[in-house]
């Protein structure tokens, strides 16, 4: 085992980097990408400096792995900034405050309203077909409405 460590070549580091990058494809969230890049960087350094001892190779790999993982963690943490479209993919939230026509009469608090080319389930005061209601909230896939006079 020690003989293997004492004769590490740049091919060993490039192979490790390749394996880590392949594992990243299966969903490691970016961390194996950067550790694989650290292994590849050590491989390049080992190619450029063939006399580099295995202790220095492992030390460089460890330091580069930690540095790149911290870089990725910090970048991920600061990349989450507020969206300029906070209701994107929250269709019901986009509808709050808008007025629509009752498609299926609201009876005993339940009915349906026509929204663009679709129909949404609605909960609110009784309303006849064709009357107008305003969306005031959302509970899951059900819009909460109130009648408009």
């Amino acid at each position: 085992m020690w003989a293997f460590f004492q004769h590490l070549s740049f091919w060993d580091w490039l192979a490790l980097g390749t394996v880590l990058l392949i594992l990243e494809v299966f969903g490691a969230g970016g961390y194996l990408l950067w550790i694989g890049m650290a292994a590849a960087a050590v491989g390049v350094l080992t190619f450029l400096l063939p006399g580099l001892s295995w202790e220095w190779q492992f030390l460089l790999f460890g330091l580069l792995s930690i540095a790149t993982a911290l870089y990725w963690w910090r970048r991920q943490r600061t990349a989450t900034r507020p969206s300029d479209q906070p209701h994107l993919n929250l269709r019901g939230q986009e509808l709050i405050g808008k007025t629509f026509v009752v498609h299926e009469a609201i009876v005993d608090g339940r009915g349906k309203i026509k929204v663009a080319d679709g129909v949404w389930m609605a909960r609110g005061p009784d309303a006849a077909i064709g009357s107008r209601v305003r969306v005031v909230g959302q509970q899951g896939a059900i819009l909460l409405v109130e009648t408009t006079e």
Side-chain angles (χ1 to χ4, degrees):
M1 185 72 162
W2 289 110
F4 175 75
F5 285 144
Q6 292 175 350
H7 299 291
L8 279 175
S9 73
F10 66 95
W11 288 115
D12 298 319
W13 288 107
L14 293 178
L16 175 63
T18 302
V19 168
L20 290 170
L21 292 175
I22 289 170
L23 290 174
E24 174 61 35
V25 171
F26 295 109
Y31 289 102
L32 290 182
L33 168 73
W34 295 103
I35 295 172
M37 297 292 276
V42 172
V44 169
L45 286 173
T46 304
F47 178 75
L48 295 174
L49 304 168
L52 197 60
S53 70
W54 68 271
E55 294 95 349
W56 279 104
Q57 291 177 29
F58 275 95
L59 181 65
L60 284 171
F61 175 67
L63 291 175
L64 286 173
S65 295
I66 290 170
T68 56
L70 287 174
Y71 165 76
W72 179 249
W73 177 74
R74 180 171 286 158
R75 187 172 183 277
Q76 287 293 94
R77 197 178 66 179
T78 59
T80 56
R81 55 183 172 263
S83 173
D84 58 341
Q85 297 178 339
H87 297 301
L88 184 64
N89 294 330
L90 298 173
R91 178 78 174 169
Q93 295 293 318
E94 292 177 352
L95 301 176
I96 293 176
K98 296 182 180 173
T99 304
F100 300 101
V101 176
V102 175
H103 180 71
E104 187 178 298
I106 301 176
V107 179
D108 293 330
R110 293 180 174 266
K112 294 183 180 179
I113 62 173
K114 180 87 168 150
V115 177
D117 62 346
V119 178
W120 283 66
M121 293 184 352
R123 184 178 298 150
D126 291 352
I129 295 174
S131 59
R132 299 191 65 76
V133 293
R134 180 179 19 262
V135 177
V136 294
Q138 176 186 12
Q139 287 181 341
I142 300 173
L143 296 176
L144 306 176
V145 297
E146 63 183 17
T147 57
T148 59
E149 308 295 331

